[in-house]
Each structure stands twice: as C-alpha cells, then as structure tokens.
Amino acid sequence: AGLEQLEAIVKEMESGDLPLDRALDLFEKGMKLSATCRQQLEDAETRIEILTKKAGEMQPQPFGK
C-alpha cells in the first residue's frame, strides 16, 4: 500500500501543475512513506536472515528470481 501511495505522489508531482504548498506537502508525505517502506524492507531482510540461520552461523540466502 505504501508503494502505491508513493507512486501516486510521484505521478502528481510529475504533472508539474502544483502550487508550491501542495508540492511541499506531497514531498513531505513521500519522504515519510519512503522511510516506512525502507524500514519494512529492512525488517523483512532481518527476518529472512534469522529464518535461514544454520548451525549457529548466519548464512544469508539470496532471493530466487
């Protein structure tokens, strides 16, 4: 959901027809959403590392494509 909101913000900002106040509000909201999404990704990465822990040693496994 956060990524969808970020995409909507980017599209609106790219339109270029925004008043300065609206652009600043969108930028602030986008930065907060970006930080939240980044934290969620870091948390997921940590959980994956914990789940792939073998024989007491961390062995991070790459995601399959």
Side-chain angles (χ1 to χ4, degrees), residues 2-37:
L3 285 176
E4 289 175 3
Q5 291 176 350
L6 276 172
E7 288 175 3
I9 288 171
V10 169
K11 284 181 184 178
E12 187 174 346
M13 290 184 76
E14 286 179 339
S15 74
D17 295 329
L18 297 175
L20 181 58
D21 288 343
R22 177 70 178 151
L24 288 173
D25 288 343
L26 287 172
F27 181 78
E28 183 178 6
K29 184 176 181 181
M31 293 300 293
K32 288 178 183 178
L33 281 169
S34 176
T36 299
C37 290

Side-chain angles (χ1 to χ4, degrees), residues 20 38 46:
L20 181 58
R38 187 177 318 111
T46 299

